[in-house]
Amino acid sequence: MATFDIRTFGCQMNVHDSERLEEVLRRAGHARVEAGEPDVVLLNTCSIREKAEQKLRSEVGKLAVRKRERPDMLIVVAGCLAQQEGEKLMKRLPAIDLMIGPDNIPELPDLLADALLGGPPAVRTIFDVDAPRFLTAPHAVAGQPTAYVTTMKGCNERCTYCIVPYTRGPERYRDSQAIVDEIRVLVETGVREVTLLGQTVNSYQDPADRLVLAPEADPEDPDESAFAALVREILTAVPDLWRLRYTSPHPRHLTPSLIAAHRDLAPRLVQHIHLPVQSGSDRMLKRMLRRYRRAEYVDRLAKLREAVPGITVSTDIIVGFSGETDEDFEATLSLVEEVGHTGVFGFKYSPRPFTPALKMGDDVPEEVKSERLSRLFALSERLIGEHLKALVGTRQQVLVEGPSKARPENMSGRSARNEIVHIPDASDLALSHRMVEVEIVEAYKHSLLGRLTEASRNEAESAAPAVQPGKRRLNVVAS
Ligand code: 5AD
Ligand code: SF4
């Protein structure tokens, strides 16, 4: 048995993969280190931007120093960078003992067993294209009422700047029944809100073709994905699931049937969507190969807002992509203003290996990228500030996740629109994992303060403790 530690870099998908890494290791008899230095350090890496790669290098550098004193300590590199670089990285950073790609997590225990016996360095980065495996893991031991569930992996888009299609491979979809079953069991263990995860989550196709397409879906339309049917199926089959979210959808798969599903399934299908747009300039969108134009993005959101009034929209933006002029960037600002995004994740363009954009050049100077990014953030801060202020005085349903990190006497949770809401002086009430109604009394920079309504307080005071996630653990199964 060895002790291990896992350090996660990057996106939600990686956080999710780290849980699976942990689970396969536990099942092989290893244990997360409680104190002191672990025998095995796993770095679950990200390669979406260059910075992530630099972070890994400095982390391995530090570990290599430790390893000189403790040569039996193993360094394992997992995730996208392992997939992308494989042996090349191992040559550059010889302290690494083992590298595994995102699809090779189930093979980790065997590879690790060899390494622990003194085997040579190994690299395993094979996509499971023919028989895709989707690991489930025990729900969060952390005791959260929220959980992530994978529905698909890989990406068939070829956005010219993006490395994901090369590090995560082509799209592979999970059986819809397996998805529903996992969610059902999660709900039995106390989960109340699930976020469906996928690289382009709404391009989902049902491998077994079990799902019935909604009436609005046009089966002849290749853009009409089965995702809306999946969402309907989940919410019908698991009535005790209070909220369903998904991330990240691609705008071109925000189809009429998905919009209709939002209309029919709100509020359980939440009133928030994270819809990456990347740029507000058609010229840039074309160079990025995003396959939609600004007007289409705006139009689809207008239809979604008609179907679900008040739905909030957040987005991802890349500034300083190859050839981006001041005018292109102004178009991005005007799009963010026009849509009124209430959350903007902004990134400076970072050229990535293998991507078509490499040939286009990285011609926007670093200081221009920085200046554009800070203008974008300033706009986004204003928009979120205005949005949060407008909510003061309204009533919101909040799924309470637990004590606030900064002030444990406060409880905190999220509204259906994804705003973080703090509830003061509530630590005496068993609010965790409950849906409560609050009146918003104050807006902070990025969150809200809400007081329990009279009815909600009375209910909480008289009710039995809220459901706590069971200790029961689910087996890891490939499905
Ligand atoms: N440079 C900068 N940002 C990128 N993203 C993806 N690739 C790059 C890149 N090469 C951003 C996109 C994507 C988010 C996850 O990361 O905005 O939506
Ligand atoms: Fe990357 Fe585009 Fe696929 Fe998103 S849709 S993962 S940005 S290639």
Side-chain angles (χ1 to χ4, degrees):
M1 189 207 89
T3 58
F4 65 87
D5 186 26
I6 304 180
R7 300 175 197 167
T8 310
F9 304 83
C11 67
Q12 202 48 57
M13 196 69 87
N14 260 15
V15 175
H16 197 66
D17 283 351
S18 286
E19 286 177 15
R20 271 114 207 101
L21 284 165
E22 172 156 359
E23 185 57 16
V24 293
L25 290 178
R26 277 183 199 280
R27 283 173 68 82
H30 307 300
R32 197 178 246 283
V33 70
E34 296 285 344
E37 206 167 55
D39 303 320
V40 181
V41 180
L42 277 107
L43 303 169
N44 192 11
T45 63
C46 170
S47 62
I48 197 126
R49 285 170 292 275
E50 205 178 356
K51 249 192 192 162
E53 206 170 310
Q54 287 158 0
K55 254 194 218 161
L56 175 83
R57 282 178 207 286
S58 90
E59 198 75 14
V60 174
K62 278 186 240 155
L63 288 170
V65 174
R66 289 296 311 133
K67 206 173 149 130
R68 260 177 248 141
E69 280 167 42
R70 255 196 75 190
D72 59 337
M73 183 175 90
L74 295 181
I75 303 177
V76 181
V77 174
C80 288
L81 203 61
Q83 186 71 42
Q84 174 200 313
E85 295 288 308
E87 277 163 21
K88 275 188 283 169
L89 189 69
M90 212 169 221
K91 281 197 187 119
R92 288 201 297 270
L93 300 171
I96 300 172
D97 296 283
L98 191 57
M99 298 186 73
I100 55 161
D103 279 4
N104 303 106
I105 295 174
E107 292 136 68
L108 175 62
D110 285 346
L111 292 165
L112 192 62
D114 286 346
L116 286 165
L117 289 171
V123 177
R124 179 90 183 146
T125 53
I126 312 285
F127 289 133
D128 58 9
V129 180
D130 294 332
R133 289 171 293 194
F134 290 92
L135 295 181
T136 63
H139 167 57
V141 200
Q144 286 292 314
T146 56
Y148 287 91
V149 171
T150 312
T151 54
M152 54 93 71
K153 55 183 178 178
C155 178
N156 287 354
E157 303 293 320
R158 285 287 180 275
C159 302
T160 51
Y161 52 80
C162 185
I163 198 170
V164 167
Y166 312 96
T167 55
R168 295 271 170 171
E171 290 181 16
R172 281 142 295 158
Y173 313 102
R174 190 170 174 202
D175 183 82
S176 60
Q177 193 59 53
I179 297 170
V180 171
D181 288 346
E182 184 183 353
I183 295 176
R184 189 179 288 119
V185 183
L186 285 171
V187 168
E188 279 168 16
T189 64
V191 168
R192 291 290 170 254
E193 177 182 303
V194 161
T195 303
L196 304 178
L197 262 190
Q199 226 66 247
T200 53
V201 69
N202 57 341
S203 67
Y204 178 78
Q205 301 292 326
D206 185 13
D209 226 359
R210 262 192 276 264
L211 294 168
V212 182
L213 290 187
E216 285 86 350
D218 174 1
E220 299 300 309
D221 181 351
D223 207 19
E224 209 49 83
S225 80
F227 185 68
L230 175 69
V231 163
R232 279 182 198 274
E233 176 64 22
I234 292 168
L235 286 171
T236 309
V238 194
D240 289 336
L241 179 68
W242 294 344
R243 279 183 183 165
L244 187 62
R245 303 182 185 275
Y246 57 85
T247 196
S248 285
H250 190 288
R252 79 187 184 93
H253 298 292
L254 181 57
T255 57
S257 61
L258 183 52
I259 292 174
H262 272 277
R263 178 197 64 208
D264 299 344
L265 301 170
R268 288 175 72 210
L269 185 56
V270 296
Q271 295 108 285
H272 168 253
I273 187 168
H274 179 72
L275 196 65
V277 66
Q278 314 299 357
S279 171
S281 150
D282 281 341
R283 208 176 68 82
M284 282 295 110
L285 290 173
K286 198 164 177 192
R287 282 170 75 78
M288 291 174 165
L289 197 66
R290 287 293 290 177
R291 304 174 209 253
Y292 54 81
R293 279 173 303 165
R294 172 192 174 121
E296 286 164 324
Y297 181 89
V298 171
D299 179 57
R300 287 186 183 203
L301 276 183
K303 292 202 171 90
L304 182 63
R305 282 185 160 145
E306 214 173 281
V308 187
I311 191 166
T312 53
V313 186
S314 54
T315 199
D316 289 347
I317 302 264
I318 296 177
V319 301
F321 183 59
S322 168
E324 187 186 67
T325 61
D326 285 343
E327 204 181 352
D328 293 317
F329 177 64
E330 292 300 330
T332 296
L333 291 181
S334 86
L335 174 80
V336 171
E337 179 104 42
E338 180 180 355
V339 169
H341 289 113
T342 53
V344 176
F345 296 84
F347 309 102
K348 291 186 215 170
Y349 169 57
S350 156
R352 302 281 62 213
F354 314 121
T355 57
L358 268 186
K359 293 203 187 81
M360 299 177 184
D362 179 21
D363 54 359
V364 178
E366 184 60 24
E367 49 300 355
V368 176
K369 285 182 187 169
S370 298
E371 198 242 355
R372 287 182 186 164
L373 196 61
S374 42
R375 285 184 65 199
L376 178 66
F377 282 144
L379 170 61
S380 142
E381 293 287 287
R382 172 166 70 72
L383 291 175
I384 186 140
E386 285 169 7
H387 168 70
L388 293 177
K389 244 185 232 145
L391 291 174
V392 174
T394 64
R395 292 189 166 198
Q396 302 293 333
Q397 300 292 322
V398 175
L399 176 59
V400 181
E401 291 175 20
S404 293
K405 278 201 190 94
R407 298 180 58 184
E409 70 278 18
N410 290 354
M411 299 299 269
S412 85
R414 280 175 194 271
S415 70
R417 295 193 178 86
N418 214 29
E419 295 104 9
I420 297 168
V421 183
H422 304 284
I423 307 170
D425 311 322
S427 57
D428 56 322
L429 299 170
L431 292 189
S432 264
H433 308 163
R434 278 188 199 288
M435 188 80 87
V436 297
E437 189 181 56
V438 299
E439 184 175 327
I440 304 300
V441 288
E442 203 176 329
Y444 301 133
K445 232 174 143 196
H446 294 122
S447 61
L448 295 164
L449 187 72
R451 276 190 206 292
L452 286 180
T453 58
E454 185 89 9
S456 241
R457 176 164 279 276
N458 289 343
E459 200 182 309
E461 276 168 352
S462 60
V467 186
Q468 297 291 333
K471 286 270 176 263
R472 199 174 132 194
R473 298 176 70 87
L474 318 180
N475 290 333
V476 170
V477 285
S479 57

